[in-house]
């Protein structure tokens, strides 16, 4: 019927075991079994929790995204300089986590949450690190990442990732995060948007550092590795200018990475 309404002809056809003609009725014309054998898989408790939290986040959080490009050549150069001197060698993701932690100190409104109609700002900077594991996603926490040295951050991320893989990470190591970093750059993903991990105010999605043609101030063109960072923020507590300022600070820290060693 008009606008997909059920009309008398639909009812009569259904009673006769037939299908009334129309755009809605033609949705499945291939009959049962067209998809082959169906395996029903029950999600585990972690997958159920993630499903509930992510559905709640998308349904209740008015989020928006802001993206910046970061020239990551200096970050790679710093890693090379640290090779053989720092154990373990900090990864690019470790540098991002440390840069975010320092930026959150400058922008405390992002190190926050909207909870039950009020704002909460946190005294500690604890960075959640999204780690994929056995068909699920686990987010262990690097506590006090702002005061940890870069080497201590690297040690923490490797220990936490190993515990996630071995399924030995403790509940206390999965709690207390005030901000989350999700990195798909190592999988070749250039840009993506991540879903906020409630009740946190924001999450940062990190893309791959890919070579691009960059025009210098003198007009020269060179190939440099550029990485895209996209923040998803809760608009109830973080506004567009706040997100842009935060990303600008993170970019400055990564493009001048020597300050991450202080």
């Amino acid at each position: 019927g008009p606008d997909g309404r059920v009309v008398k002809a639909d009812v009569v056809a259904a009673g006769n075991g037939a299908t009334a003609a129309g755009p809605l009725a033609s949705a499945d014309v291939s009959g049962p079994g067209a998809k082959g054998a169906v395996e029903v898989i029950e999600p585990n408790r972690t997958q159920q929790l993630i499903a509930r939290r992510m559905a709640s986040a998308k349904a209740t959080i008015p989020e928006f995204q802001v993206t910046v490009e970061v020239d990551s050549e200096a970050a790679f150069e710093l890693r090379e300089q640290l090779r053989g001197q720092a154990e373990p060698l900090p990864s690019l993701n470790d540098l991002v986590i440390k840069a975010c932690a320092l930026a959150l100190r400058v922008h405390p409104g992002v190190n926050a949450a909207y909870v039950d109609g009020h704002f909460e700002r946190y005294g500690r900077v604890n960075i959640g690190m999204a780690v994929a594991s056995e068909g699920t996603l686990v987010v262990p926490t690097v506590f006090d990442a702002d005061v940890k040295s870069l080497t201590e951050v690297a040690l923490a991320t490797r220990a936490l990732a190993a515990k996630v893989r071995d399924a030995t990470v403790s509940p206390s190591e999965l709690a207390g995060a005030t901000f989350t970093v999700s990195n798909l750059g190592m999988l070749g993903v250039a840009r993506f948007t991540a879903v906020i991990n409630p009740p946190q105010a924001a999450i940062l999605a990190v893309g791959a550092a890919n070579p691009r043609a960059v025009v210098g101030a003198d007009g020269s063109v060179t190939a440099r590795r550029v990485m895209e960072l996209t923040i998803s923020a809760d608009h109830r507590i973080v506004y567009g200018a706040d997100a842009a300022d935060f990303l600008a600070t993170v970019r400055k820290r990564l493009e001048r990475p020597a300050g991450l060693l202080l």
Side-chain angles (χ1 to χ4, degrees):
D3 298 322
R5 296 185 183 125
V6 177
V7 297
K8 181 179 179 180
D10 299 316
V11 178
V12 172
N16 294 333
T19 302
L24 294 180
S26 62
D28 184 7
V29 297
S30 52
K35 298 179 182 178
V38 178
E39 179 185 6
V40 177
I41 302 174
E42 293 295 330
N44 58 38
R45 292 181 62 185
T46 300
Q47 291 170 327
Q48 291 175 6
L49 175 61
I50 292 173
R52 289 195 300 268
R53 288 176 64 85
M54 294 301 97
S56 174
K58 295 299 290 184
T60 62
I61 298 177
E63 64 178 10
F64 68 97
Q65 286 77 36
V66 178
T67 300
V68 296
E69 295 181 347
V70 176
D71 185 333
S72 52
E73 285 295 334
F76 280 102
E77 291 173 4
L78 176 65
R79 292 190 70 245
E80 287 305 312
Q81 294 170 8
L82 293 175
R83 191 177 299 277
Q85 303 183 50
E87 185 60 36
L89 179 66
S91 67
L92 186 59
N93 195 56
D94 295 328
L95 269 65
V96 172
I97 289 175
K98 180 64 177 180
C100 286
L102 294 175
L104 288 169
R105 275 297 179 203
V106 179
H107 306 278
V110 184
N111 193 54
Y114 182 91
V115 180
D116 296 331
H118 63 268
F119 300 157
E120 292 183 353
R121 288 189 178 182
Y122 303 116
R124 298 175 69 181
V125 177
N126 304 328
I127 306 293
M129 177 184 67
V131 179
S133 173
E134 296 296 329
T136 188
L137 184 68
V138 182
V139 187
T141 305
V142 180
F143 289 92
D144 302 311
D146 58 323
V147 296
K148 279 184 166 65
S149 69
L150 188 56
T151 299
E152 289 173 330
V153 169
L155 286 168
T157 59
R158 279 153 187 72
L160 291 169
K163 288 184 178 183
V164 169
R165 288 192 297 269
D166 299 339
T168 58
V169 64
S170 67
S172 62
E173 292 171 319
L174 298 175
T178 58
F179 183 87
T180 297
V181 171
S182 180
N183 191 340
L184 293 180
M186 68 286 292
L187 300 178
V189 176
R191 178 199 292 183
F192 70 104
T193 59
V195 179
I196 295 173
N197 188 14
Q200 296 168 25
I203 183 172
L204 187 73
V206 182
N210 294 322
R212 295 188 188 178
V214 177
V215 180
D218 59 354
S220 61
V221 179
T222 57
R224 299 183 69 85
R225 283 168 287 191
V226 176
M227 173 174 58
E228 293 195 20
L229 305 180
T230 300
I231 188 172
S232 296
D234 185 341
H235 214 322
R236 294 173 298 182
I237 184 171
V238 179
Y239 306 131
D242 301 325
D245 289 343
F246 171 79
L247 286 181
T249 302
V250 174
R251 177 172 58 191
K252 181 178 179 180
R253 289 285 188 178
L254 290 173
E255 292 184 343
R256 301 176 184 176
L260 301 178
L261 299 174
L262 301 177

